[in-house]
Amino acid sequence: MITNYIKTLQSNTVLTKTFLEELLELADDATNFEILRKTARETALSVFSNKVFIRGLIEITNYCKNDCYYCGIRKSNLNAERYRLTPEIILKCCEEGYGLGFRTFVLQGGEDFVFNDATVTEVIKAIRSKYPDCAITLSIGERPVEVYETWKTAGADRYLLRHETANTGHYSKLHPENLNLDTRKECLYNLKKLGYQVGTGFMVGSPFQTRENIIEDLLFIDELKPQMIGIGPFLPHADTPFKDYSPGSLKETLKLLAILRIRYPKVLIPSTTALSTLDSKGRNEGILSGANVVMPNLSPLDVRSKYLLYDNKIALGTEAAENIASLNKNFAEIGYEISYTRGDYSPNL
Ligand code: SAM
């Protein structure tokens, strides 16, 4: 009975591998899948009403010192046309975003050491002093704890760092040897300790991923207790070693979104760009599975086509910050609307 499994998810019971195995198997059934999604939807509605939080995504650099096998901006991709925004341009993006109603800016990029500790600190301070009412989220990879601390003191509020996979063997199939899961996890725990609102997550359907790996991901999330969880389908990029692998599935992503929402009613969960790229209805289907955040693209128009993590990544239309009115119309079709607040995690909701 799926309802018994839903009750366990909603309780404080520690999740086990066997429980998750059985739940995922039950959720393969079409009727159970719909029951899960409906429960997730009702959970999100009861906490956040019909509101979807927006974050202005500024892709600050596509230079990266890393070589993750799945990623289109990996350093070995010599076909990637590299760019790096100046602090002035980043501030211009914030100005435009503020005018459009955004109250959270997400600075995301490859691990680009031209964006060194001091430069990022200056950018954070400038945004913080100009927009004291806005949340600043960083997503620029692994750094020493001291650096995370400096950035927190400078005014950063949140940090997104997906763990990618919680299985060591699987991690080594997705990344070269110099990257490892322990360091990634250590960064996440450091960020939490420093008081950041922390986001983690993984790609659904990444090459070599097994159901057992997904269970390990869910168990890791249960242990970390992040305030934000980002999952989206893996999508291949033609200039990576994974170019011939199949994309992750819409159904599997929606199923996992629903499970996460039921387990963590108050957590912030985006309906990701990857989901919208995979399926034109993906964004709204994500919301209808319990997601409550979207991250429209606020990067300058001339660089949007260069931050290509996977093939055909969308950055225009309703994915573009400047088209926020059509995004709202799009949400209205399913009975939702944009919330123009900062959308912080709150344990007291
Ligand atoms: N460098 C930072 C980091 O490592 O967290 C942030 C940028 S990184 C490109 C952001 C996320 O993009 C990754 O955490 C990964 O999950 C996702 N991503 C990269 N390549 C992808 C692909 N081919 N399909 C789906 N998601 C991908």
Side-chain angles (χ1 to χ4, degrees):
M1 262 310 108
I2 191 86
T3 46
N4 291 336
Y5 284 78
I6 290 175
K7 278 193 193 123
T8 304
L9 273 181
Q10 289 166 329
S11 73
N12 290 330
T13 312
V14 175
L15 302 182
T16 65
K17 204 172 149 216
T18 314
F19 168 82
L20 288 170
E21 256 163 25
E22 290 168 4
L23 170 64
L24 288 174
E25 204 174 313
L26 276 174
D28 287 337
D29 170 81
T31 310
N32 288 338
F33 173 65
E34 285 313 327
I35 295 173
L36 265 184
R37 290 189 75 202
K38 183 165 180 283
T39 312
R41 195 152 63 234
E42 287 167 357
T43 307
L45 283 168
S46 73
V47 179
F48 302 104
S49 177
N50 65 337
K51 299 285 190 285
V52 181
F53 295 119
I54 48 166
R55 321 300 197 193
L57 178 65
I58 309 172
E59 295 158 336
I60 62 173
T61 175
N62 72 352
Y63 282 91
C64 192
K65 71 171 178 60
N66 291 333
D67 225 4
C68 309
Y69 302 143
Y70 45 84
C71 185
I73 62 168
R74 65 197 300 266
K75 77 166 176 203
S76 293
N77 179 10
L78 302 180
N79 291 331
E81 208 184 313
R82 304 288 169 174
Y83 74 90
R84 176 181 292 129
L85 303 185
T86 61
E88 293 72 32
I89 291 181
I90 297 173
L91 279 162
K92 203 91 199 111
C93 294
C94 294
E95 187 183 326
E96 190 183 332
Y98 195 88
L100 290 165
F102 286 87
R103 293 297 176 267
T104 291
F105 302 118
V106 180
L107 273 45
Q108 193 186 77
E111 290 198 20
D112 174 0
F113 280 104
V114 170
F115 269 108
N116 59 25
D117 314 344
T119 308
V120 175
T121 305
E122 286 320 304
V123 173
I124 296 168
K125 281 186 179 163
I127 300 175
R128 175 55 56 242
S129 79
K130 223 167 161 205
Y131 305 103
D133 54 333
C134 291
I136 303 174
T137 305
L138 302 176
S139 179
I140 45 180
E142 300 172 11
R143 306 280 171 132
V145 62
E146 300 78 25
V147 176
Y148 286 153
E149 187 169 17
T150 307
W151 293 345
K152 183 82 179 56
T153 310
D157 305 283
R158 309 181 188 145
Y159 208 102
L160 304 177
L161 187 79
R162 289 181 173 182
H163 64 278
E164 312 295 0
T165 171
N167 177 282
T168 315
H170 187 217
Y171 200 93
S172 69
K173 289 184 179 157
L174 300 183
H175 303 95
E177 244 174 57
N178 66 319
L179 296 175
N180 69 78
L181 180 59
D182 286 343
T183 311
R184 197 90 180 160
K185 283 186 174 176
E186 194 185 333
C187 286
L188 284 163
Y189 283 109
N190 285 339
L191 289 161
K192 269 208 100 177
K193 244 185 271 157
L194 290 166
Y196 280 91
Q197 290 171 53
V198 172
T200 198
F202 57 93
M203 288 174 288
V204 178
S206 60
F208 314 109
Q209 185 183 57
T210 61
R211 190 156 263 192
E212 202 175 333
N213 295 153
I214 291 180
I215 291 168
E216 290 167 292
D217 289 325
L218 296 175
L219 292 174
F220 171 66
I221 290 172
D222 222 45
E223 177 193 302
L224 178 70
K225 305 200 187 331
Q227 287 85 7
M228 302 172 282
I229 305 170
I231 64 164
F234 157 77
L235 298 172
H237 185 293
D239 296 314
T240 64
F242 290 163
K243 64 181 164 56
D244 295 324
Y245 284 84
S246 307
S249 104
L250 174 68
K251 190 170 176 198
E252 203 60 24
T253 308
L254 297 178
K255 184 192 300 175
L256 290 165
L257 281 173
I259 289 172
L260 290 166
R261 170 56 69 210
I262 296 169
R263 179 71 177 165
Y264 313 108
K266 296 170 187 174
V267 155
L268 296 149
I269 303 180
S271 188
T272 58
T273 305
L275 195 54
S276 307
T277 302
L278 178 72
D279 188 297
S280 58
K281 296 201 174 78
R283 187 191 307 110
N284 281 357
E285 291 302 318
I287 305 285
L288 294 173
S289 268
N292 70 325
V293 174
V294 290
M295 296 167 62
N297 200 308
L298 196 49
S299 308
L301 272 172
D302 60 321
V303 303
R304 282 194 203 166
S305 58
K306 297 178 187 161
Y307 197 81
L308 265 196
L309 307 180
Y310 38 80
D311 292 335
N312 308 314
K313 176 171 164 274
I314 51 170
L316 297 173
T318 45
E319 203 60 32
E322 62 276 15
N323 294 333
I324 196 156
S326 38
L327 178 67
N328 216 6
K329 259 196 214 139
N330 190 248
F331 287 150
E333 285 167 21
I334 53 165
Y336 286 74
E337 62 185 31
I338 288 172
S339 162
Y340 289 90
T341 62
R342 275 171 55 122
D344 283 291
Y345 173 80
S346 167
N348 308 317
L349 279 172

